[in-house]
Amino acid sequence: MTNTAVEVRGLSKRFGRREAVTALDMSIPTGVVAGFIGPNGAGKTTTLRMLLGLIRPTAGTGTVLGLPLSDPAGYLPKVGALIESPAFHPALSGRRNLEVLACLGGHPRARVDEVLGRVGLADRGDDPYRAYSLGMKQRLGIAAALLGDPALLVLDEPTNGLDPLGIRDMRELLRGLAASGPTLLVSSHLLAELEQVCDWIVALDHGRRVYQGPAADLLATGRSAVMLRPEREADLSALAGLVADAGFETRLDAGRLQVTGEVHDAAVADLNRGAAAAGIGLVEITPIRASLEDRYESLVTTKES
Amino acid sequence: MRRAYQAELLKLRRRSVVIAALLPAALAVLTTVLTFALAKTSPTFDPGGPNFVQRLSALADPGGMTQGYSLGMSLFGLVALIVTIANTTSEFSLGTLRTTFLAQPNRKAWLGGRLLAIGTLLVVAFAVALVAAVATAYVMAPVRDVGTSAWLSGSGIAAAFGDYLNALLGAAFFGLLGTAIAVVVRSTVPALAMAIVWTFPLEHIIQGSWPTATQVFPGLLFATVAVGGVSDAPYVSALLASAGYAAAALAVAMIVMTRRDVIA
């Protein structure tokens, strides 16, 4: 068993004169929930299609579950995937669609009922696919991806077109899937959604990788603000002076002091000690974490500048 | 390929497909009735090849039982062409091809299994049509006072089996051509337009001024095989040329399907 579920080096894809993915190096450890982020057109779906053997890379090498990218027939039986929108035969029932895929993939027919139950479609399995709502179609897509009891599950924009309740249900489903063992690679441009489920991030912009690593590290870097509240409101101005002397910008906010800038944990500890030494008791130190969206924007802006 | 074949059969196992599979039988009944109803009593009448209007006495020959069937099934080539194109291009337009290739990455095996499943459907549908046509012929024979004693002779059975096999081959060739066109073009409307315009009006217009076209163009050759040969194109040479076209169509479909990126 390899420690890396996906590993690619110099992966590129060119469509005519347009380069969709450029020399991508990417590594996804086994067992993580990896968010594959970037705006529309960043190259996410093209990369996923290359990983799944649907399109051939122009250049680059890699492995999926330890097997070379050039041998999708070797690793795809252990990979489940939902790429873009779910695609099934409209005239067939959800169950029959899954039976066809189970037959194609050599999976036992009994798995169909199991996965239908797992995605909450057990009662609607015999309805024709064309009668399904968007949320049900997405669920059926995930059920199809689960048929082979995959070691790697690749989901491309699983919340596409869902309403807020559908998005919440999908998030719960993803959490349940993540807890059950497989490595999850989830692509989305809805970063707020991914932030809640991912522990590993690969960020793309214009076909190039701009970040790869633990989600916590990305979110911790460049914390955007810390809120401080002194025990006595009268100490606010003294506290503001002390913070300004440490090189940070401040802003008064309803009896509290908002400290902005690159406020890392060590700096927060220094501010706390400095305040105590000056006789100012702090009753609140609240980090205001940057969102994944903020961090992605910052990564892209830094790269462009 | 076995799994792809079974999966395709599973997809075909539904009411609308069963109804569609009965269409050849309906057509065979209709053309058999027409063949008997329109037959000319004049002993000197020459139908000039495969034609709905036959000499009545010829219907008592060993091959008379399946004359209407053979003509009816030869019309089915167009249907086979249209159905395979629409069916295959829909896999691209619905995006089901990517779902399929995730489950079965061996694209040649998938295409092979799929073609075998469609072939199985044709074998069954044309056999049902043959039974329906034979039954209809037995109903119509006394109406036009046609003798049936030769029909179940050895040569009668052989003629019926030959008509069945030729009809099947003709439809299979059209189906392979349709699959290749669909895989290359991918979009339903342009693929259908290209296939229908070329194999039907254009080939027949050219044939009108250049009879050798019957021995050269795929649509005319496949139709010739379906009716067991015509005066402009002997059966064996038409069969060999058709088999060549069909093999080329299969090779093109396999190569394109294997090498092309799935972006739908």
Side-chain angles (χ1 to χ4, degrees):
Chain A
M1 183 71 180
T2 173
N3 292 327
T4 311
V6 176
E7 176 97 50
V8 296
R9 291 279 168 266
L11 196 66
S12 300
K13 180 64 186 180
R14 179 179 283 281
F15 293 108
R17 293 171 63 183
R18 185 176 67 84
E19 192 147 53
V21 176
T22 308
L24 177 66
D25 292 343
M26 177 172 82
S27 178
I28 296 171
T30 303
V32 300
V33 179
F36 198 35
I37 66 172
N40 289 332
K44 304 187 299 292
T45 300
T46 302
T47 303
L48 296 183
R49 283 178 186 266
M50 284 192 278
L51 295 180
L52 297 168
L54 293 174
I55 61 179
R56 294 207 284 191
T58 310
T61 58
T63 59
V64 175
L65 300 175
L67 291 167
L69 211 54
S70 54
D71 179 26
Y75 59 78
L76 280 181
K78 293 306 289 175
V79 177
L82 168 62
I83 293 295
E84 289 183 306
S85 54
F88 294 98
H89 294 280
L92 301 182
S93 68
R95 185 187 307 280
R96 179 57 63 86
N97 268 298
L98 293 187
E99 284 170 350
V100 168
L101 293 174
C103 185
L104 265 178
H107 310 305
R109 192 77 69 89
R111 281 288 293 164
V112 170
D113 283 328
E114 281 179 42
V115 295
L116 278 173
R118 188 151 182 203
V119 300
L121 284 177
D123 319 340
R124 302 292 301 274
D126 293 322
D127 291 0
Y129 175 71
R130 62 169 166 257
Y132 281 12
S133 68
L134 210 51
M136 290 165 69
K137 287 177 178 174
Q138 293 288 83
R139 284 172 173 274
L140 190 70
I142 290 179
L146 293 173
L147 272 172
D149 195 12
L152 170 66
L153 191 56
V154 179
L155 303 175
D156 185 17
E157 305 286 359
T159 54
N160 245 6
L162 298 184
D163 59 21
L165 281 178
I167 290 174
R168 190 198 62 192
D169 289 349
M170 186 58 70
R171 195 189 309 136
E172 292 307 312
L173 185 60
L174 291 182
R175 283 195 174 128
L177 291 172
S180 65
T183 305
L184 241 70
L185 174 55
V186 186
S187 145
S188 181
H189 60 272
L190 298 176
L191 304 189
E193 286 308 313
L194 282 186
E195 187 179 340
Q196 298 182 54
V197 291
C198 291
D199 42 28
W200 187 267
I201 295 288
V202 177
L204 292 191
D205 181 47
H206 291 98
R208 294 174 186 276
R209 196 193 76 194
V210 291
Y211 178 81
Q212 169 179 276
D217 288 1
L218 177 61
L219 292 167
T221 53
R223 177 184 296 152
S224 58
V226 173
M227 199 64 86
L228 304 179
R229 185 159 68 88
E231 190 177 16
R232 294 184 301 270
E233 198 166 341
D235 288 337
L236 265 175
S237 57
L239 181 62
L242 200 143
V243 171
D245 288 347
F248 296 105
E249 291 181 10
T250 59
R251 188 165 64 85
L252 284 175
D253 183 1
R256 297 186 300 175
L257 193 70
Q258 184 175 321
V259 183
T260 56
E262 298 286 305
V263 198
H264 297 290
D265 288 352
V268 175
D270 285 345
L271 287 176
N272 191 16
R273 277 191 289 270
I280 303 170
L282 294 178
V283 292
E284 179 189 336
I285 303 175
T286 309
I288 302 172
R289 294 172 66 91
S291 66
L292 187 55
E293 201 168 310
D294 296 334
R295 295 309 306 140
Y296 179 78
E297 197 180 320
S298 158
L299 284 170
V300 174
T301 310
T302 306
K303 196 170 170 61
E304 280 171 357
S305 65
Chain B
M1 193 187 297
R2 184 180 53 81
R3 294 203 310 243
Y5 173 69
Q6 288 171 338
E8 287 299 315
L9 284 185
L10 207 52
K11 267 160 62 178
L12 293 173
R13 232 170 49 192
R14 57 186 202 265
R15 197 168 54 181
S16 59
V17 174
V18 172
I19 292 169
L22 289 174
L23 285 178
L27 187 63
V29 168
L30 179 69
T31 52
T32 302
V33 169
L34 284 175
T35 306
F36 276 85
L38 299 176
K40 301 285 187 189
T41 50
S42 164
T44 56
F45 176 73
D46 179 9
N51 198 313
F52 281 111
V53 186
Q54 294 288 321
R55 193 163 23 88
L56 189 62
S57 59
L59 294 178
D61 292 346
M65 176 172 67
T66 49
Q67 283 269 342
Y69 170 80
S70 177
L71 289 165
M73 293 304 97
S74 71
L75 300 176
F76 213 76
L78 175 63
V79 179
L81 186 72
I82 292 170
V83 168
T84 49
I85 287 177
N87 194 259
T88 307
T89 51
S90 76
E91 297 278 357
F92 289 96
S93 58
L94 290 171
T96 43
L97 211 54
R98 66 171 182 268
T99 314
T100 299
F101 288 159
L102 291 175
Q104 169 56 280
N106 186 338
R107 300 181 187 184
K108 280 183 191 162
W110 175 75
L111 190 58
R114 177 186 172 84
L115 289 172
L116 274 181
I118 295 171
T120 303
L121 183 68
L122 280 178
V123 165
V124 174
F126 278 35
V128 172
L130 180 65
V131 171
V134 167
T136 307
Y138 271 98
V139 171
M140 290 300 293
V143 176
R144 294 299 310 272
D145 202 19
V146 173
T148 62
S149 56
W151 288 359
L152 291 182
S153 64
S155 52
I157 300 290
F161 183 70
D163 285 343
Y164 169 70
L165 205 59
N166 289 335
L168 203 55
L169 281 173
F173 290 154
F174 272 113
L176 280 171
L177 181 67
T179 301
I181 291 170
V183 168
V184 172
V185 178
R186 288 181 290 185
S187 182
T188 309
V189 174
L192 279 176
M194 186 187 299
I196 293 171
V197 168
W198 172 255
T199 50
F200 291 93
L202 276 180
E203 284 193 358
H204 285 90
I205 289 167
I206 296 169
Q207 183 193 31
S209 56
W210 184 48
T212 312
T214 315
Q215 301 168 31
V216 176
F217 292 146
L220 294 170
L221 281 165
F222 299 164
T224 299
V225 170
V227 294
V230 294
S231 56
D232 288 335
Y235 175 74
V236 174
S237 62
L239 180 64
L240 289 175
S242 295
Y245 272 118
L250 182 63
V252 166
M254 287 284 186
I255 291 168
V256 173
M257 185 63 95
T258 309
R259 299 186 65 82
R260 185 178 268 166
D261 288 342
V262 178
I263 50 172

